[in-house]
Amino acid sequence: MHSFEELSAAFADRFSQRHFPDQPASLYEPGAYFLSMGGKRIRPVLCVMGNELFAPIEDDAWQLAIAIELFHNFTLIHDDIMDRAPLRRGMTTVHEKYGAPTAILSGDVMMVASYAAIAKIGSPHIRRILHLYNQAASHVCEGQQLDMDFERRSDVRMEEYLHMIGLKTSVLLAASLQIGAILGGAGLGNQDKIYQFGKNLGLAFQIQDDYLDCYGDTAKVGKKAGGDILADKKTFLLVKTLEVATDAQRRRILELETAPADEKIAGMLDLFRACGVDAWVRELKEDYRRAAYQCLEDIAVLSSRKGPLRQLTDFLLQREF
Amino acid sequence: MHSFEELSAAFADRFSQRHFPDQPASLYEPGAYFLSMGGKRIRPVLCVMGNELFAPIEDDAWQLAIAIELFHNFTLIHDDIMDRAPLRRGMTTVHEKYGAPTAILSGDVMMVASYAAIAKIGSPHIRRILHLYNQAASHVCEGQQLDMDFERRSDVRMEEYLHMIGLKTSVLLAASLQIGAILGGAGLGNQDKIYQFGKNLGLAFQIQDDYLDCYGDTAKVGKKAGGDILADKKTFLLVKTLEVATDAQRRRILELETAPADEKIAGMLDLFRACGVDAWVRELKEDYRRAAYQCLEDIAVLSSRKGPLRQLTDFLLQREF
């Protein structure tokens, strides 16, 4: 069994290969630029860990890990266009640097490259894997569309919001694990458990992310607290607050929309606390963390094989707050 | 053996099925809207004809025909965004009707749907087909990028331009035929011939298209002559003219750029004729038409099986001029 760190290093080594031809450079250079920005590479490593939970790592697992990471990066390039984001990981986004048309196309061709990686696998399960992959890919697009739809609404219910986050971020984590599990020869019951583990893990992580954006220690989180508040971004905290707020509190939210930055952040944090939303969100994350652990425990393999996935869950979900 | 008309009707019937889930409607309705605009459906029929040239039509051929048509439509949705086109086939484009972010996403999810159609085939050649499909898909993206790059250049050589058109339009026709041929059990030699047939057919068709835009009979072509000239679009005629024009003729082209519509069209047509480019372009189309026929004749199957492909070639390439 290998730890997250070991698999992550091994993946980075494989992923540093060239993914694109040389020409036309005007198409492929932007994609290579984006990949060079790096990232946590969690999804590809989950694919390999899903495999190793059940059996020794197959070559196909690395190949599919590459496919998954290419797909994830394609979605980021296109999301940045839609969100008009100027920066990602501190670097200029593709559409800012090369224009939207080239950003659309270099995303498209990165998606094709991701399927090209799948075409290389030798597994007899290729149809099943392709089916799961496509399902997850559609869900990610659905999640992004709902996210955009929700930005224009102030009456989003928590249930809808959870559904959207599940599609946009959790499903790809879950599918990565399940695809690895298929390669490892997991039965349908275990495949379902590992998928649900991933889904819960993803939701807990996203809830924590929203929480830390408001309450995280700037030094530890690495960015100034309140960024989501300033951007009027829908988060678990805001959606819940809009669900439970009194009329007076709703009016206060409207007032704060145009307030100076520091006042806006402080005012919204006061409101979250007054609505009990900060404690509620901590509880919600705990619920999903527990559910993820339970799914992991329910997978019918030797407990000792689960060490790396337990360790990764702790690493991702026990960030300080 | 079936004619183009028969296969086209049979495909239309199969393609009229639902391709997307109901929800989220904000994501899937735009894609369904675009597909409802129709189209000639040449690529999917070529896939089925490629199959039937060698053997009775497999169910997989219809499935892959659907995949190919979904892919083609995805590229059109994204191309329209990049080209800022307000209309397609007389109807409002997706980005104009629903906004660019939704147009990007509904294109993305249509590409995923195209791969979902591939995942359903039962053919043992799935890896080979997926590989060819991905290769063609990458080439289409490369062609679109080169097309955008060339719009900003006045020194595009005919050789580069032919390469771009080959990637942007011919390769998908060629791959559609070859994928069908694989399903029909064609050997590598015949696969190569049918691919080259498609490549030459596509080039001849595009050359003819550019020619008809200038010299076509308005009543027969269905649009006013000179549209490409007014839009300053690079075409076979303009690229060749820029290659052979004298300095005086180049100055005239610059002058005409800002001339009134009728004067601009008449002036450019005069220039094409003065440079001998109209005759040259007719010859070029003839060369590719002949090359396409030769490839078709060289395919090692009974000549009588080639009837439908000959008939289609005549239909596509003997438009009046």
Side-chain angles (χ1 to χ4, degrees):
Chain A
M1 305 297 290
H2 298 85
S3 68
F4 179 78
E5 291 75 17
E6 287 166 329
L7 295 176
S8 188
F11 177 74
D13 195 40
R14 282 173 171 83
F15 199 65
S16 65
Q17 63 171 40
R18 295 175 50 81
H19 298 283
F20 306 111
D22 272 337
Q23 293 298 326
S26 51
L27 176 63
Y28 291 119
E29 209 269 322
Y33 161 75
F34 191 80
L35 294 179
S36 77
M37 290 183 188
K40 293 187 288 292
R41 315 296 193 206
I42 290 174
R43 293 157 193 80
V45 174
L46 284 178
C47 172
V48 179
M49 289 177 119
N51 178 163
E52 201 179 23
L53 182 60
F54 298 97
I57 301 169
E58 308 252 341
D59 282 346
D60 281 354
W62 295 109
Q63 199 57 45
L64 289 166
I66 288 170
I68 289 165
E69 188 62 13
L70 287 173
F71 180 84
H72 176 58
N73 279 272
F74 137 70
T75 65
L76 298 180
I77 293 175
H78 278 194
D79 284 3
D80 284 344
I81 308 173
M82 299 179 225
D83 302 344
R84 299 171 181 274
L87 295 175
R88 175 170 294 272
R89 298 186 194 116
M91 289 173 78
T92 310
T93 47
V94 175
H95 64 106
E96 279 284 316
K97 196 171 156 86
Y98 301 95
T102 292
I104 293 173
L105 261 185
S106 57
D108 291 345
V109 86
M110 196 177 285
M111 200 210 288
V112 174
S114 121
Y115 282 100
I118 297 181
K120 286 186 198 150
I121 67 171
S123 169
H125 304 297
I126 184 166
R127 280 179 188 75
R128 171 97 180 111
I129 288 168
L130 197 51
H131 172 70
L132 270 175
Y133 191 83
N134 290 327
Q135 208 165 46
S138 306
H139 285 156
V140 171
C141 295
E142 294 174 10
Q144 170 69 6
Q145 181 67 44
L146 289 175
D147 197 10
M148 296 193 299
D149 294 347
F150 290 179
E151 286 300 323
R152 289 193 295 268
R153 284 175 47 192
S154 60
D155 63 342
V156 178
R157 284 172 290 117
M158 182 51 66
E159 186 192 324
E160 295 177 283
Y161 189 74
L162 275 164
H163 175 65
M164 180 277 283
I165 293 291
L167 292 172
K168 186 171 167 167
T169 72
S170 297
V171 155
L172 191 57
L173 299 175
S176 300
L177 285 158
Q178 186 179 354
I179 286 170
I182 291 173
L183 292 178
L188 289 177
N190 280 342
Q191 282 180 39
D192 183 53
K193 286 288 173 212
I194 203 168
Y195 184 90
Q196 295 304 333
F197 162 69
K199 198 115 190 253
N200 287 305
L201 174 69
L203 284 166
F205 185 79
Q206 191 60 48
I207 295 165
Q208 170 181 276
D209 211 50
D210 284 2
Y211 185 88
L212 289 178
D213 190 82
C214 287
Y215 299 105
D217 179 330
T218 305
K220 283 178 190 155
V221 178
K223 54 182 177 184
K224 203 163 173 299
D228 290 345
I229 292 175
L230 287 181
D232 295 315
K233 207 175 157 297
K234 289 256 176 340
T235 63
F236 280 97
L237 295 123
L238 181 57
V239 170
K240 184 68 183 173
T241 303
L242 288 168
E243 231 180 29
V244 301
T246 63
D247 286 348
Q249 286 169 327
R250 275 171 210 284
R251 281 194 297 276
R252 178 83 182 120
I253 293 174
L254 285 175
E255 273 169 35
L256 286 169
E257 264 179 21
T258 51
D262 284 352
E263 188 189 328
K264 183 171 180 174
I265 294 174
M268 286 303 296
L269 292 181
D270 283 349
L271 269 173
F272 292 159
R273 196 139 303 183
C275 293
V277 161
D278 55 334
W280 181 87
V281 162
R282 284 197 302 271
E283 257 317 299
L284 188 68
K285 179 202 139 179
E286 248 333 271
D287 291 347
Y288 283 105
R289 197 188 62 80
R290 267 194 299 266
Y293 264 106
Q294 191 57 52
C295 291
L296 185 56
E297 292 319 304
D298 288 350
I299 296 171
V301 296
L302 279 181
S303 179
S304 60
R305 299 194 75 86
K306 300 176 184 172
L309 279 170
R310 277 196 204 101
Q311 176 208 13
L312 176 61
T313 307
D314 289 346
F315 169 70
L316 290 175
L317 296 186
Q318 300 198 337
R319 287 164 66 185
E320 211 159 324
F321 59 77
Chain B
M1 303 299 289
H2 298 85
S3 69
F4 178 77
E5 291 75 16
E6 288 167 331
L7 295 176
S8 189
F11 177 74
D13 195 43
R14 283 172 169 84
F15 199 65
S16 65
Q17 63 171 44
R18 297 174 50 81
H19 298 284
F20 306 112
D22 272 338
Q23 294 296 327
S26 51
L27 176 63
Y28 291 118
E29 209 268 322
Y33 161 76
F34 191 80
L35 294 179
S36 77
M37 290 185 191
K40 292 189 289 291
R41 315 299 192 205
I42 290 174
R43 293 157 194 80
V45 174
L46 284 178
C47 172
V48 178
M49 289 176 118
N51 179 164
E52 202 179 24
L53 182 61
F54 299 96
I57 301 169
E58 307 253 341
D59 283 346
D60 282 353
W62 295 110
Q63 199 57 45
L64 289 167
I66 289 171
I68 289 165
E69 188 62 15
L70 287 172
F71 180 84
H72 176 58
N73 278 273
F74 136 70
T75 65
L76 297 181
I77 294 175
H78 279 194
D79 283 3
D80 284 344
I81 309 172
M82 297 179 225
D83 301 343
R84 300 172 180 274
L87 295 174
R88 176 170 293 273
R89 299 184 192 116
M91 291 174 75
T92 311
T93 46
V94 175
H95 65 106
E96 278 284 316
K97 195 170 156 86
Y98 301 95
T102 291
I104 294 173
L105 260 185
S106 57
D108 291 346
V109 87
M110 195 176 286
M111 200 210 288
V112 174
S114 123
Y115 282 100
I118 298 181
K120 286 185 196 151
I121 67 172
S123 169
H125 304 297
I126 185 166
R127 279 179 188 75
R128 171 96 180 112
I129 289 168
L130 197 52
H131 173 69
L132 270 176
Y133 191 86
N134 290 327
Q135 208 165 44
S138 306
H139 285 156
V140 171
C141 295
E142 293 174 10
Q144 170 68 7
Q145 181 66 45
L146 289 176
D147 197 9
M148 297 193 298
D149 294 347
F150 290 178
E151 286 301 324
R152 288 193 295 270
R153 284 175 48 192
S154 60
D155 63 342
V156 178
R157 285 172 289 117
M158 182 51 67
E159 185 193 322
E160 294 177 283
Y161 190 73
L162 274 165
H163 176 65
M164 180 277 282
I165 293 291
L167 293 172
K168 186 171 168 169
T169 73
S170 299
V171 155
L172 191 56
L173 300 174
S176 301
L177 285 159
Q178 186 178 354
I179 286 170
I182 291 173
L183 292 177
L188 289 178
N190 280 340
Q191 283 181 39
D192 183 52
K193 285 290 174 210
I194 203 168
Y195 184 91
Q196 295 304 333
F197 161 69
K199 195 110 194 260
N200 287 306
L201 174 69
L203 284 167
F205 184 79
Q206 190 60 48
I207 295 165
Q208 170 181 274
D209 210 50
D210 284 3
Y211 185 88
L212 288 177
D213 191 81
C214 286
Y215 299 105
D217 179 332
T218 304
K220 285 178 187 155
V221 178
K223 53 182 179 183
K224 202 161 172 301
D228 289 347
I229 291 175
L230 287 180
D232 296 313
K233 206 173 158 299
K234 287 258 178 339
T235 63
F236 280 96
L237 295 124
L238 181 57
V239 169
K240 186 66 184 173
T241 304
L242 288 168
E243 232 180 27
V244 300
T246 62
D247 286 350
Q249 287 169 328
R250 276 171 210 283
R251 281 194 299 274
R252 177 83 181 121
I253 293 173
L254 285 175
E255 274 169 35
L256 286 169
E257 264 179 20
T258 51
D262 285 352
E263 187 189 328
K264 183 171 181 176
I265 293 174
M268 286 303 295
L269 292 182
D270 283 348
L271 269 174
F272 293 160
R273 197 139 304 184
C275 293
V277 161
D278 54 334
W280 182 86
V281 161
R282 284 197 302 272
E283 257 316 298
L284 189 67
K285 179 202 140 181
E286 248 333 270
D287 290 347
Y288 282 105
R289 196 188 62 79
R290 267 193 299 269
Y293 263 106
Q294 191 57 52
C295 291
L296 185 56
E297 291 320 304
D298 288 350
I299 296 172
V301 296
L302 278 182
S303 179
S304 60
R305 298 195 76 87
K306 299 176 187 173
L309 280 170
R310 277 197 206 101
Q311 177 207 11
L312 177 62
T313 306
D314 288 345
F315 169 71
L316 290 174
L317 296 187
Q318 300 197 337
R319 287 165 65 185
E320 211 158 325
F321 61 77

